[in-house]
């Protein structure tokens, strides 16, 4: 038997496979297809203080080995999430979840996290300071080390739950931001969010998505994400949840060897709703193939020697 | 929803740039006319949504127009397997149609109306059908509908076949209790503005997942935000905000 367990800030997960925020809703659509309790956990749709419709459609563009989305944080608002989504979720998911939070001001992040702090089925608060899809929303905090630290401190002051800051790849030096979050008290880091991208419709000669640009994700960004996880791992002493293009159990292992303690899977869920199930089922095989007995032991392995 | 691997049985051109593909595989997940499937194609990241044109226990018929990379690739497949998500979307509600509903299709909006027509007939109703095309060489399924025993009105924009003009020009002379429509958005708007009864519209949107997970396809309606892929693609007239 191989050991797939990993630990995130004292929380033991059965395996490191976690559907990424925005690609799994609140889990309902997937729970209809398979028992999602096999997941390590999942990160639910980015939640803001107030309800948001998001951007106009089209919000989706296809790319080679990936996709662009400009959903723009459509969500029903934190009160609705706490009142309806979380109790409903408990019926089909019996583990704690990761709460993904976005905001447009420090105060908004704070208020939202304060409400989520009281929820017993939330294991980690993942603070998205990196959404490329909303003006001044999120990413403004994620592209400046000082602002990133401020959000981290503010959120830490209102919750006792572990706080993971989700970083943007759309920066010159992700390491500086990662360090700044660690210094400000972050318990962990999630990286990467989507890469700002664009497609043009050749018939219309206009951008495909209504918002012109959007977040690029999928297998095409895996090498970029892996590189960033590797660099950040060198610089910080807090756990990293690695993501960006992960689609197979081999990808999970590669991410972990680069420095991730756990791994999120995003776009892959959308094109194959069984992606996470297949990745989890493939873990043992991959581990045997590479002579791995325990996943905990491979974290950051690429940095030794 | 289910993921099913279908076998391609037949894939042939039936009009200008329009193909009919017949697939063999389990269709149990399809519960209503007007639902769609989402097809994976080699080398393309996102699946392609196509309406169910017709189905039976172990077979599925789709009609699609070649408009880009994916549909072009599909049109060249003679045999082989297709990975398909089946049973997506809400589909048309036939219960409230009254005795004589009219089905209004434009271009590749026609396909989902075919199985709908069969369903309505099976329920003892008397549907009539309007099929709108730009030109004569784009016309398909006129005979198929006629074989079901319904009145079919074909329109072409330049009048080279059937009634000259648009679907709403044919609609003027038909009595109906309710309507079902699918087609390009300008046509849907025209239908919205010229129909005198309630009815159901099928919409298209670019999709990330096709099963409700990504919020890639959301539109505003009078009944709240709806995902075209999951809460649609069919919306009722009363809720639509253009
Ligand atoms: C619910 C639904 C039902 C549909 N039913 C049919 C049908 O029965 N017959 C038919 O011919 N067409 C149908 N379409 C349109 C069909 O999905 C597109 O023509 C097809 O996706 C184009 O793919 P492509 O690779 O050839 O084009 P490309 O332009 O190369 O595609 C690029 C991307 O844009 C998307 N896209 C392009 N056009 C559309 C569109 N009109 N709607 C949604 N996404 C689009 C593609 O899926 C792909 O992700 C339907 C669309 C929806 C949403
Ligand atoms: C449709 C879509 C919606 C997303 N929504 C969110 C979100 O609400 N909050 C967030 O932090 N990240 C969001 N993301 C980013 C993903 O969680 C993930 O960081 C990114 O897509 C990279 O992983 P991938 O390549 O596996 O998709 C979204 C991604 C997609 C594709
Ligand atoms: S396409 Fe993903 S929710 Fe509709």
């Amino acid at each position: 038997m191989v050991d797939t367990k990993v630990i995130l800030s004292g929380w033991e997960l059965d395996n490191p496979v976690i559907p990424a925020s925005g690609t799994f809703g609140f889990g309902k659509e997937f729970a209809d297809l398979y028992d999602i309790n096999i997941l390590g956990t999942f990160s639910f749709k980015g939640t803001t203080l107030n309800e948001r419709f998001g951007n106009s459609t089209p919000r989706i563009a296809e790319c080679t080995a990936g996709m662009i989305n400009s959903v723009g944080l459509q969500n029903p608002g934190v009160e609705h999430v706490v009142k309806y989504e979380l109790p409903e979720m408990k019926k089909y998911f019996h583990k704690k979840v990761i709460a993904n939070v976005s905001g447009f001001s420090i105060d908004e992040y704070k208020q939202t996290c304060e409400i989520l702090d009281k929820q017993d089925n939330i294991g980690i608060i993942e603070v998205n300071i990196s959404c490329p899809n909303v003006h001044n929303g999120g990413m403004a905090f994620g592209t400046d080390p000082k602002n990133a630290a401020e959000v981290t401190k503010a959120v830490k002051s209102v919750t006792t739950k572990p706080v993971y800051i989700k970083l943007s790849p759309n920066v010159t030096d992700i390491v500086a931001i990662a360090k700044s979050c660690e210094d400000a008290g972050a318990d962990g880091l999630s990286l990467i969010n989507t890469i700002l991208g664009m497609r043009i419709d050749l018939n219309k000669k206009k951008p495909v998505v209504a918002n012109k640009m959007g977040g690029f994700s999928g297998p095409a960004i895996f090498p970029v994400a892996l590189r960033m996880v590797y660099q950040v791992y060198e610089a910080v002493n807090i756990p990293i949840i690695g993501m960006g293009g992960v689609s197979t159990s081999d990808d999970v292992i590669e991410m972990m060897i680069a420095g991730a303690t756990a791994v999120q899977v995003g776009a892959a869920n959308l094109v194959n709703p069984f992606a996470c199930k297949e990745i989890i089922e493939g873990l043992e095989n991959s581990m045997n193939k590479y002579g791995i007995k325990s996943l905990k032991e491979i974290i950051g392995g690429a940095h030794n020697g | 929803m289910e993921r099913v691997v279908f076998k391609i049985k037949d894939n042939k051109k039936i009009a200008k740039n329009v193909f009919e593909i017949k697939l063999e595989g389990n269709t149990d997940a399809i519960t209503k006319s007007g639902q769609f499937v989402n097809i994976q194609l080699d080398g393309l990241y996102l699946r392609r949504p196509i309406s169910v044109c017709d189905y039976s226990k172990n077979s599925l018929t789709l009609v699609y127009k070649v408009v880009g990379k994916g549909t072009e690739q599909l049109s060249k497949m003679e045999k082989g397997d297709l990975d398909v998500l089946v049973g997506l979307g809400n589909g048309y509600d036939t219960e409230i149609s009254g005795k004589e509903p009219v089905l209004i299709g434009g271009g590749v909006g026609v396909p989902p109306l075919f199985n709908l027509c069969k369903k309505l007939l099976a329920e003892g109703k008397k549907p009539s059908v309007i099929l709108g095309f730009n030109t004569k060489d784009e016309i398909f399924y006129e005979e198929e509908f006629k074989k079901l025993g319904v009145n079919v009105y074909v329109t072409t924009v330049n009048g080279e076949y059937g009634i000259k003009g648009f679907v709403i020009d044919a609609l003027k002379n038909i009595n109906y209790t309710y309507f079902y429509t699918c087609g390009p958005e300008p046509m849907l708007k025209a239908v919205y503005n010229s129909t005198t009864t309630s009815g159901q519209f099928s919409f298209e949107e670019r999709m990330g997942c096709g099963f409700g997970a990504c919020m890639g396809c959301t539109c505003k309606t009078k009944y709240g935000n709806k995902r075209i892929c999951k809460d649609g693609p069919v919306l009722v007239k009363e809720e639509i905000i253009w």
Side-chain angles (χ1 to χ4, degrees):
Chain A
M1 265 305 276
V2 294
D3 179 10
T4 59
K5 290 193 169 63
V6 295
I7 296 166
L8 285 176
S9 305
W11 176 17
E12 187 179 70
L13 307 181
D14 293 331
N15 62 66
V17 181
I18 305 172
S21 178
T23 63
F24 212 71
F26 290 87
K28 216 175 295 164
E29 287 73 26
F30 296 86
D32 289 344
L33 296 176
Y34 65 94
D35 179 7
I36 62 170
N37 290 289
I38 61 166
L39 300 168
T41 177
F42 74 88
S43 178
F44 65 60
K45 176 64 198 170
T47 296
T48 51
L49 187 60
N50 302 309
E51 178 186 355
R52 283 180 55 82
F53 173 72
N55 295 323
S56 308
T57 53
R59 296 175 171 180
I60 304 289
E62 189 179 54
C63 308
T64 303
M67 62 181 281
I68 282 173
N69 88 83
S70 72
V71 170
L73 295 174
Q74 182 190 341
N75 81 94
V78 68
E79 294 289 357
H80 180 101
V81 167
V82 163
K83 209 161 158 198
Y84 299 102
E85 303 292 352
L86 293 186
E88 182 63 24
M89 194 194 309
K90 280 184 187 169
K91 293 182 196 159
Y92 52 78
F93 191 62
H94 311 306
K95 297 177 174 178
K96 289 185 178 185
V97 290
I98 298 179
N100 185 282
V101 178
S102 266
F104 298 85
S105 68
I106 301 258
D107 207 48
E108 230 189 289
Y109 276 108
K110 239 168 119 168
Q111 286 184 51
T112 311
C113 292
E114 217 165 351
I115 295 167
L116 293 170
D117 180 60
K118 299 186 189 75
Q119 302 305 310
D120 58 1
N121 61 335
I122 292 176
I124 284 176
I125 296 184
E126 182 177 63
V127 183
N128 175 9
I129 56 166
S130 47
C131 182
N133 283 324
V134 286
H135 295 293
N136 88 25
M139 202 161 89
F141 298 103
T143 52
D144 178 85
K146 260 210 302 279
N147 292 347
E150 248 180 82
V151 179
T152 310
K153 271 189 211 137
V155 172
K156 279 297 285 180
S157 75
V158 295
T159 180
T160 52
K161 294 189 193 290
V163 172
Y164 280 50
I165 307 294
K166 184 158 173 183
L167 303 183
S168 171
N170 305 306
V171 294
T172 328
D173 183 6
I174 196 169
V175 170
I177 299 183
K179 274 185 172 156
S180 185
C181 293
E182 182 183 35
D183 291 344
D187 299 282
L189 300 169
S190 290
L191 59 139
I192 57 177
N193 208 316
T194 52
I195 300 177
L196 194 59
M198 181 168 178
R199 291 304 307 269
I200 287 172
D201 183 322
L202 296 182
N203 289 311
K204 296 183 182 148
K205 302 182 177 59
K206 291 274 158 12
V208 173
V209 298
N211 211 32
K212 299 190 179 81
M213 292 166 223
F216 179 33
S217 72
I221 74 166
F222 181 76
V224 178
L226 189 86
R227 181 267 293 178
M228 288 186 162
V229 167
Y230 184 91
Q231 287 179 314
V232 169
Y233 181 86
E234 298 254 293
V236 301
N237 292 306
I238 47 178
I240 296 168
I241 303 178
M243 75 197 82
V246 173
S247 315
T248 64
S249 45
D250 276 15
D251 294 345
V252 170
I253 288 173
E254 197 170 335
M255 247 329 160
M256 293 185 73
I257 295 175
T261 297
V263 171
Q264 289 187 11
V265 179
N269 293 301
L270 306 181
V271 294
N272 173 11
F274 297 96
C276 283
K277 181 174 189 276
E278 287 167 10
I279 291 171
I280 291 166
E281 287 167 358
L283 270 179
E284 177 160 356
N285 207 347
S286 284
M287 289 171 72
N288 287 332
K289 187 164 58 170
Y290 303 112
I292 299 164
K293 290 209 171 57
S294 157
L295 283 183
K296 278 191 215 83
E297 285 164 15
I298 66 167
I299 300 165
H303 300 263
N304 303 333
Chain B
M1 170 178 77
E2 270 177 44
R3 183 178 54 176
V4 179
V5 176
F6 282 89
K7 265 205 156 43
I8 299 174
K9 296 310 261 182
D10 192 30
N11 190 10
K12 63 169 193 274
K13 195 168 180 172
I14 56 169
K16 186 181 158 199
N17 297 331
V18 176
F19 289 74
E20 179 192 62
I21 190 167
K22 296 204 182 229
L23 304 169
E24 184 183 276
N26 189 327
T27 58
D28 288 353
I30 304 172
T31 54
K32 279 196 175 140
S33 312
Q35 288 184 319
F36 66 98
V37 301
N38 216 356
I39 305 173
Q40 187 165 10
L41 294 164
D42 277 353
L44 295 178
Y45 196 63
L46 297 176
R47 291 172 182 264
R48 298 303 191 261
I50 302 287
S51 301
V52 171
C53 173
D54 199 13
Y55 70 102
S56 63
K57 183 115 195 75
N58 212 37
S59 80
L60 175 64
T61 304
L62 310 173
V63 172
Y64 61 94
K65 185 174 180 180
V66 172
V67 297
K69 259 195 261 174
T71 45
E72 164 105 52
Q73 194 172 317
L74 187 61
S75 73
K76 294 196 170 122
M77 293 180 73
E78 278 167 23
K79 53 180 179 224
D81 292 345
L82 279 182
D83 175 334
V84 184
L85 298 178
V86 201
L88 305 176
N90 57 353
Y92 291 114
D93 181 351
T94 55
E95 262 170 37
I96 47 178
S97 72
K99 275 214 159 57
E100 296 183 343
V102 61
L103 280 47
I104 310 164
V108 276
V110 167
L113 303 179
F114 187 68
N115 183 258
L116 175 68
C117 190
K118 284 171 122 180
K119 285 250 164 84
L120 290 165
L121 286 167
E123 289 171 11
K125 289 153 186 170
K126 284 190 65 181
S128 46
V129 179
I130 303 172
L131 309 176
F133 300 94
N134 289 313
T135 53
K136 192 178 168 195
D137 56 2
E138 288 179 6
I139 298 169
F140 62 88
Y141 266 47
E142 182 188 9
E143 283 312 309
E144 279 77 357
F145 276 103
K146 280 188 174 156
K147 272 185 213 149
L148 300 178
V150 296
N151 283 328
V152 182
Y153 306 86
V154 177
T155 66
T156 52
V157 178
N158 60 4
E160 58 182 335
Y161 188 90
I163 299 162
K164 179 175 161 64
F166 297 97
V167 289
I168 51 168
D169 295 310
L171 190 63
K172 285 177 203 147
N173 307 313
I174 298 173
N175 289 319
Y176 55 95
T177 52
Y178 196 79
F179 68 89
Y180 296 92
T181 185
C182 182
E185 203 158 305
M187 184 201 97
L188 297 184
K189 266 189 202 163
V191 169
Y192 182 93
N193 288 326
S194 35
T195 40
T196 50
T197 66
S198 178
Q200 295 171 30
F201 294 74
S202 182
F203 284 88
E204 285 185 358
E205 191 46 76
R206 296 214 174 212
M207 293 183 176
C209 64
F211 56 88
C214 73
M215 306 290 147
C217 64
T218 311
C219 71
K220 284 184 182 155
T221 77
K222 290 177 189 155
Y223 302 165
N225 298 338
K226 292 203 167 179
R227 295 160 294 183
I228 290 297
C229 71
K230 177 98 177 182
D231 314 308
V234 176
L235 302 181
V236 296
K237 190 177 182 184
E238 292 71 29
E239 68 182 309
I240 295 169
I241 304 173
W242 294 103

